[in-house]
Amino acid sequence: MSNDPKLPSSIPAFLAGYKENYVEGWAELWNKSEGKPLPFDRGFPNPALEDTLIEKRDIIKSPIGRDAQGNTYRKKALVPGCGRGVDVLLLASFGYDACGLEYSATAVEVCKEEQAKNGDKYPVRDAGVGQGKITFVQGDFFQDTWLEKLQLPRNSFDLIYDYTFFCALNPSMRPQWALRHTQLLVDSPRGHLICLEYPRHKDPSLQGPPWASTSETYMAHLSHPGEEIPYDANRQCSIDPSKVPSPQGLERVAYWQPARTHEIGKNEEGEVQDRVSIWRRPN
């Protein structure tokens, strides 16, 4: 629910009206907000992402890579559905050339304003690595037009971060969501997808967004990208856990309960309900 009279009283009901034009519904929400925070905007990055970038360096490695010729380069990070861009600013402070993607032109302008007003809140984390380049681009995650704007081919990103993008999409779009990640990650096991899984304990039968997003659902879709995954009458993912992953599937290389997350990711007792998972192509 929203207290802003310009926004619909029920965002799930509003978006349901767009059906196949789901992304247009999100764009219209941004237009109605006139640049003001939307109800799901927390105003700062989820601390679980910050902790992941620090504590899981052994998995995701340095933001500085080295090619086959021994030349160093700065790795590229992508945040689809980046909101007001706070995660992009955080990733750049760790040294990634970070790109935030939004379908809404209004949202892209909000991101640029956020960078101008609050960019100094994200100091360089490692002087030896430095800060990465920050880019915000308007486009449809599932199309290549925004890649063409950036003059990038597919399979360009060393790191992709998903927090509230998966749960914002209608579940019918999840096969394409998973397949698209395999198209955008670099074509080697050195590319990583970080998923902050939320909301894991919402009743799956309830309307979204956010749509209930269990860990089993991430596992099913990312290990079988592009495939239709069965759901039961209560919208519970019902794939056979013994089913062999598809050849283009991603493998989960880390999974844990973060020590910190946004308050919305906790239950009434203050216990963290979110999980973090890291995915890559199999070796």
Side-chain angles (χ1 to χ4, degrees):
M1 302 292 286
S2 172
N3 295 323
D4 188 335
K6 297 185 182 67
L7 293 175
S9 58
S10 171
I11 288 178
F14 174 80
L15 292 172
Y18 280 81
K19 297 181 180 178
E20 291 82 5
N21 296 317
Y22 201 65
V23 289
E24 295 288 350
W26 280 107
E28 184 59 23
L29 277 178
W30 277 105
N31 292 338
K32 288 179 177 294
S33 76
E34 298 179 349
K36 296 178 182 178
L38 289 168
F40 49 80
D41 186 358
R42 304 299 153 200
F44 59 95
N46 193 306
L49 173 60
E50 180 180 18
D51 293 345
T52 297
L53 295 173
I54 295 171
E55 299 169 3
K56 302 300 179 180
R57 188 76 170 263
D58 60 323
I59 297 175
I60 59 178
K61 310 301 181 184
S62 168
I64 303 298
R66 191 177 296 275
D67 63 21
Q69 290 72 43
N71 301 311
T72 60
Y73 63 93
R74 195 174 295 277
K75 293 181 180 179
K76 294 181 177 64
L78 174 68
V79 184
C82 67
R84 62 192 314 105
V86 293
D87 301 315
V88 178
L89 300 180
L90 180 69
L91 285 163
S93 76
F94 274 87
Y96 293 93
D97 280 345
C99 176
L101 173 64
E102 267 291 347
Y103 184 79
S104 163
T106 299
V108 171
E109 291 306 310
V110 169
C111 290
K112 293 177 180 178
E113 292 173 6
E114 181 72 20
Q115 179 184 0
K117 292 179 181 178
N118 297 310
D120 58 354
K121 294 182 179 179
Y122 301 85
V124 172
R125 299 303 182 106
D126 185 336
V129 171
Q131 178 167 306
K133 179 182 177 183
I134 297 169
T135 305
F136 295 108
V137 62
Q138 186 274 333
D140 184 342
F141 174 73
F142 299 99
Q143 303 297 326
D144 286 345
T145 305
W146 60 276
L147 287 170
E148 295 165 3
K149 291 180 185 177
L150 299 174
Q151 297 183 326
L152 291 176
R154 290 184 177 183
N155 302 120
S156 288
F157 295 97
D158 304 272
L159 182 72
I160 304 178
Y161 173 59
D162 185 298
Y163 174 29
T164 55
F165 189 57
F166 180 79
C167 69
L169 295 173
N170 189 291
S172 65
M173 303 173 74
R174 288 175 174 176
Q176 291 72 34
W177 170 90
L179 179 63
R180 187 61 168 162
H181 283 300
T182 69
Q183 297 170 347
L184 295 174
L185 278 174
V186 292
D187 197 14
S188 76
R190 65 179 173 83
H192 294 91
L193 167 65
I194 300 174
C195 292
L196 210 172
E197 301 177 2
Y198 160 87
R200 295 178 60 255
H201 290 78
K202 180 177 179 178
D203 184 345
S205 67
L206 297 178
Q207 181 78 14
W211 298 89
S213 304
T214 64
S215 295
E216 292 77 13
T217 304
Y218 285 90
M219 176 64 76
H221 284 283
L222 288 171
S223 61
H224 302 88
E227 298 180 27
E228 292 298 325
I229 302 299
Y231 285 75
D232 63 23
N234 294 319
R235 296 187 183 143
Q236 292 271 22
C237 183
S238 59
I239 190 171
D240 183 350
S242 65
K243 184 179 180 182
V244 177
S246 64
Q248 69 268 34
L250 302 181
E251 65 173 347
R252 191 173 71 182
V253 294
Y255 174 76
W256 72 97
Q257 176 181 321
R260 301 191 297 159
T261 192
H262 284 321
E263 289 301 314
I264 198 169
K266 302 176 182 178
N267 62 18
E268 294 180 355
E269 290 73 35
E271 300 169 332
V272 172
Q273 302 300 298
D274 293 345
R275 297 292 184 271
V276 183
S277 53
I278 301 179
W279 306 77
R280 71 182 181 198
R281 301 182 192 278
N283 288 310

